[in-house]
């Protein structure tokens, strides 16, 4: 009976993807805060007593209650944690308190991207080379150092530029703000670029089309994608949790002892976890692109259209499919301008999907993925 209840509870809280990492960030905030309170860290008139945190032999019951409270606290904080993770990604629409800062943050990232592109263009035009004629060993060594510095600067600028989505092809609107795909945070821009690189090269909108492609993804690729999404959600959630701990431990600055370092340590761990989330997001984009590289034709076949014979035909058909699927709630197929007159190609024997579930896994706390 208890096994069935555990299975039912696990299914209700996320199915097979629910595990320790799902509740660890919230449980960490709860456990550390309660431990600091039990150790009298917030009582400036008393020394911190870590021994008071550990339960004695007669406190086995309270220890179990504390562990359960930390677990329940992690589960209860999970919905709020998801909202905060979305703030990390840059979804700052109202009523988010960060909504007034969105325009300025997007402009900051636009300038970083454009400055990196300008430096790449300038370095390409003025690439350093060894000059002709005799040179002293000192001159050759100095030139080698300059070329090394330039190569490292080019690599940094190229890496920075490749973390941003490209919106230079978007139409310009007179007397209106420029259209952009940029997000106000670094993590959001990396995820947005991954989305664009996945389907944009083939005329597909990745987030519109992915649920239709997912049933046809190979098992190994689906597993890799799920693993990356879980790791991305975990690192982003840990960044949020350490940020909350930094805020909750700010009163410890008043102790003026070693415990006053706690808020800074938590903030450093939050930044470290955020950087880990950015690195994870880059590789997630690579896996996401692989899905479209290998399975984009499965969408065409599943929609019963003849497979295109050229890249231009593929791009045109994919744009039409994306447009129809994006606006499917407002149009019917037979009245669609792009697909209404297009002939179907029905196979003699229907080919079933490769065994994946028909519903794609929800991004666990990741608004983009």
């Amino acid at each position: 009976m208890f096994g069935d209840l555990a299975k039912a509870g696990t299914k209700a809280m996320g199915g097979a993807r629910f595990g320790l990492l799902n509740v660890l960030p919230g449980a960490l905030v709860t456990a550390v805060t309660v431990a600091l309170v039990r150790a009298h860290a917030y009582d400036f008139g008393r020394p911190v007593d870590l021994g008071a945190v550990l339960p004695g032999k007669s406190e086995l019951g309270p220890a179990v209650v504390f562990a359960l409270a930390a677990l329940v606290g992690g589960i209860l904080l999970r919905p709020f944690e998801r909202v905060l993770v979305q703030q990390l990604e840059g979804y700052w629409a109202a009523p988010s308190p960060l909504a007034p800062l969105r325009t300025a943050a997007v402009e900051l990232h636009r300038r970083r991207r454009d400055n990196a592109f300008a430096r790449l263009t300038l370095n390409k035009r003025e690439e350093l080379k060894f000059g002709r004629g005799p040179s002293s060993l000192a001159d050759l060594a100095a030139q080698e150092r300059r070329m090394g510095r330039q190569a490292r600067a080019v690599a940094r600028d190229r890496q920075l530029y490749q973390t941003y989505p490209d919106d230079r092809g978007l139409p310009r609107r007179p007397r209106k703000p420029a259209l952009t795909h940029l997000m106000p945070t670094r993590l959001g821009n990396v995820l947005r670029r991954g989305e664009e690189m996945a389907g944009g090269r083939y005329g597909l909108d990745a987030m519109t089309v992915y649920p239709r492609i997912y049933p046809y993804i190979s098992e190994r690729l689906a597993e890799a994608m799920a693993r990356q999404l879980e790791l991305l959600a975990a690192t982003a959630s840990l960044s949020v949790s350490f940020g909350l701990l930094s805020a909750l431990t700010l009163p410890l600055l008043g102790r003026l002892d070693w415990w006053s370092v706690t808020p800074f340590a938590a903030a450093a761990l939050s930044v470290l976890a955020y950087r880990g989330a950015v690195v994870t997001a880059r590789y997630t984009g690579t896996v996401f692109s692989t899905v479209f590289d290998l399975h984009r034709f499965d969408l065409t076949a599943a929609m019963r259209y003849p497979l295109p014979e050229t890249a231009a035909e593929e791009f045109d058909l994919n744009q039409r499919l994306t447009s129809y699927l994006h606006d499917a709630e407002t149009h019917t197929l037979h009245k669609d301008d792009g697909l209404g007159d297009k002939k179907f190609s029905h196979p003699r024997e229907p080919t079933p999907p490769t065994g994946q579930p028909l519903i794609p896994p929800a991004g666990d706390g990741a608004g983009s993925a």
Side-chain angles (χ1 to χ4, degrees):
M1 179 175 126
F2 290 105
D4 293 337
L5 286 175
K7 289 180 181 178
T10 300
K11 184 176 181 180
M13 290 183 288
R17 297 184 64 194
F18 180 83
L20 181 61
L21 285 178
N22 297 82
V23 297
L24 176 62
L28 177 68
V29 174
T30 305
V32 172
T33 304
V34 172
L36 289 174
V37 172
R38 285 178 58 90
H40 315 296
Y42 292 98
D43 187 355
F44 297 164
R46 300 175 62 178
V48 176
D49 182 13
L50 293 178
V53 177
L54 300 175
K57 294 181 179 180
S58 61
E59 296 182 332
L60 183 59
V64 174
V65 171
F66 172 75
L68 289 176
L71 178 62
V72 172
I75 295 173
L76 293 178
L77 288 175
R78 188 65 180 159
F80 303 99
E81 185 181 301
R82 289 186 176 185
V83 174
L84 293 175
V85 168
Q86 289 182 347
Q87 300 304 300
L88 281 186
E89 294 183 38
Y91 291 93
W92 294 357
S96 169
L98 298 174
L101 302 177
R102 177 181 172 82
T103 302
V106 168
E107 181 61 27
L108 175 63
H109 284 284
R110 186 200 306 277
R111 294 187 181 189
R112 286 179 177 174
R113 182 197 63 184
D114 293 347
N115 287 340
F117 180 75
R119 289 193 295 269
L120 287 172
T121 304
L122 182 63
N123 284 328
K124 186 175 180 180
R125 292 177 181 174
E126 300 181 1
E127 184 178 0
L128 294 176
K129 297 180 180 179
F130 286 108
R132 296 181 179 179
S135 300
S136 66
L137 184 60
D139 291 338
L140 290 174
Q143 179 69 357
E144 182 72 25
R145 288 193 295 270
R146 286 193 294 269
M147 292 172 64
R149 286 194 296 269
Q150 186 186 60
R152 289 190 293 273
V154 168
R156 285 194 301 269
D157 288 333
R158 184 177 292 112
Q159 184 179 21
L160 176 62
Y161 181 72
Q162 290 176 351
T163 60
Y164 288 104
D166 187 5
D167 55 8
R168 291 175 297 173
L170 294 178
R172 300 294 177 183
R173 303 179 298 176
R175 298 182 182 179
K176 290 184 179 180
L179 295 174
T180 182
H181 291 164
L182 290 173
M183 299 290 286
T185 67
R186 188 179 178 189
L187 177 61
N189 281 308
V190 172
L191 289 171
R192 179 62 61 85
R193 179 178 174 84
E195 294 169 11
E196 290 191 352
M197 289 295 292
R201 295 174 295 168
Y202 304 112
L204 295 168
D205 179 77
M207 302 313 294
T208 299
V209 171
Y210 180 63
R212 281 88 174 177
I213 292 181
Y214 179 76
Y216 300 90
I217 300 175
S218 62
E219 184 177 353
R220 293 177 65 184
L221 194 54
E223 195 175 317
M225 190 68 190
R227 188 164 52 247
Q228 285 302 121
L229 290 176
E230 289 174 358
L231 184 58
L232 176 61
T235 50
S237 297
L238 283 173
S239 177
V240 170
S241 297
F242 283 122
L244 288 174
L245 278 177
S246 179
L248 291 172
T249 55
L250 277 177
L252 298 184
L253 293 174
R255 295 190 63 89
L256 300 178
D257 57 12
W258 285 107
W259 288 97
S260 300
V261 182
T262 305
F264 301 106
L269 289 173
S270 177
V271 173
L272 186 62
Y274 184 80
R275 289 180 176 271
V278 172
V279 173
T280 304
R282 289 179 186 170
Y283 188 67
T284 302
T286 301
V287 177
F288 199 43
S289 296
T290 305
V291 170
F292 283 82
D293 293 340
L294 301 182
H295 293 283
R296 67 188 188 278
F297 290 113
D298 291 330
L299 173 69
T300 306
M303 297 289 287
R304 297 296 190 262
Y305 290 112
L307 296 178
E309 297 183 358
T310 66
E313 289 181 11
E314 179 197 359
F315 194 86
D316 179 67
L317 175 60
N318 286 342
Q319 283 189 317
R320 295 183 183 189
L321 284 172
T322 295
S323 177
Y324 170 70
L325 293 173
H326 186 269
D327 300 323
E329 294 181 0
T330 58
H331 318 31
T332 55
L333 181 60
H334 73 285
K335 293 183 179 180
D336 186 81
D337 294 336
L339 298 174
D341 297 329
K342 193 167 183 62
K343 293 183 178 180
F344 292 109
S345 175
H346 297 289
R348 293 181 180 179
E349 296 182 1
T351 54
T354 56
Q356 295 302 317
L358 294 179
I359 300 176
D364 192 7
S368 295

